[in-house]
């Protein structure tokens, strides 16, 4: 891993249970690490507001709190894109869902120039639906195939479909991922009238 100062760990929650508790638990688990990622800069993003007491406790864990607005009210999951507003001069940005805890240092995975993510743990669309979706947006269908570690199921029809609960993003890729993700969330939500079979998923 690079120097701790060059790595940022971020999560995004809401000012309500269970998310606010999960944010604090996540960063408490990070700070228990004796070295490595335990010394990384930490950012907690909250949608709209955060309770003063929660902010105080996070400050005790040396976690910076930032307030953000919803990305698109039609899709609360898209709010995590706000975590990509972190300083892109860092070497790596680690994005974690609030329901994550860190049990040991995973610095060995924080390197290189590619975005690191885990393939999703199950099928979401049929092969024909994936084909329709990619064709609709004029994007080439990826050829890569992955095996999930959760179900040991070969994902022959879910090319490069990843779980966004744990992402490791190199600094130079932050802005591109943020802009493309934000754009395609909006375009996908706007496409539902044309793609009702996709909207159902």
């Amino acid at each position: 891993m690079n120097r701790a100062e060059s790595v940022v760990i971020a999560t995004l929650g809401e000012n309500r249970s269970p998310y606010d508790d999960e944010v604090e638990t996540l960063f408490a688990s990070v700070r228990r690490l004796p070295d490595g990622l335990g010394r990384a800069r930490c950012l907690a993003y909250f949608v709209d507001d955060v309770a003063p007491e929660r902010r105080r406790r996070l400050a005790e864990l040396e976690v910076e709190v930032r307030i953000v607005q919803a990305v698109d009210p039609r899709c609360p999951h898209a709010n995590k894109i706000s975590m990509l507003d972190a300083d892109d001069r860092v070497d790596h940005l680690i994005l974690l869902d609030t329901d994550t805890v860190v049990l040991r240092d995973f610095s060995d995975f924080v390197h290189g120039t590619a975005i690191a993510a885990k393939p999703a743990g199950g099928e979401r669309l049929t092969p024909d639906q994936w084909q329709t979706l990619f064709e609709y947006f004029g994007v080439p269908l990826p050829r890569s195939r992955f095996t999930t570690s959760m179900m040991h199921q070969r994902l022959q029809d879910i090319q490069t479909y990843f779980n966004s609960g744990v992402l490791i993003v190199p600094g130079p890729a932050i802005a591109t991922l943020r802009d493309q993700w934000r754009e395609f969330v909006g375009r996908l939500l706007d496409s539902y009238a044309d793609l009702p079979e996709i909207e159902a998923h």
Side-chain angles (χ1 to χ4, degrees):
M1 185 189 81
N2 297 296
R3 295 174 298 105
E5 302 81 39
S6 67
V7 174
V8 172
I9 301 174
T11 195
L12 179 137
E14 296 185 27
N15 187 31
R16 61 186 175 91
S17 181
Y19 306 104
D20 51 355
D21 288 331
E22 290 175 349
V23 168
E24 188 174 337
T25 300
L26 164 61
F27 286 119
S29 74
V30 170
R31 291 304 186 214
R32 285 192 180 99
L33 300 175
D35 206 354
L37 292 177
R39 297 182 291 112
R41 181 178 170 212
C42 293
L43 297 176
Y45 292 83
F46 284 89
V47 179
D48 294 331
D49 197 11
V50 64
E53 179 63 17
R54 185 72 59 184
R55 184 189 288 268
R56 183 191 65 76
R57 289 203 297 268
L58 288 169
E60 290 175 353
L61 293 169
E62 298 182 61
V63 176
E64 179 184 341
V65 172
R66 295 184 180 179
I67 305 301
V68 296
Q69 303 303 310
V71 169
D72 191 310
R74 297 173 293 175
C75 182
H77 297 298
N79 291 334
K80 64 175 61 180
I81 298 171
S82 296
M83 291 188 287
L84 291 162
D85 290 335
D87 188 345
D88 59 7
R89 291 173 295 180
V90 302
D91 288 336
H92 287 87
L93 175 62
I94 300 171
L95 309 181
L96 302 175
D97 275 359
T98 60
D99 60 353
T100 305
V101 293
V102 179
L103 299 180
R104 64 174 182 260
D105 187 36
F106 56 94
S107 298
D108 289 345
F109 293 97
V110 185
H111 62 83
T113 59
I115 296 172
K118 180 189 178 299
E123 298 181 357
R124 296 298 186 272
L125 302 176
T126 67
D128 288 344
Q129 288 171 329
W130 282 113
Q131 185 76 38
T132 297
L133 184 62
F134 276 79
E135 287 178 355
Y136 182 87
F137 290 112
V139 177
L141 193 67
R143 290 184 283 179
S144 301
R145 302 292 192 274
F146 297 89
T147 302
T148 66
S149 60
M150 193 182 311
M151 299 179 182
H152 304 289
Q153 169 188 19
R154 187 142 181 93
L155 302 183
Q156 296 181 355
D157 57 345
I158 313 181
Q159 300 119 327
T160 58
Y161 182 74
F162 296 104
N163 184 319
S164 61
V166 178
L167 296 174
I168 302 173
V169 186
I174 292 172
T176 299
L177 178 60
R178 178 190 63 228
D179 296 345
Q180 292 288 303
W181 194 352
R182 189 183 299 269
E183 176 188 349
F184 274 96
V185 163
R187 290 176 65 186
L188 181 62
L189 292 168
D190 291 341
S191 75
Y192 285 169
D194 296 332
L195 301 172
E197 73 279 13
I198 304 299
E199 180 185 16
H201 298 278

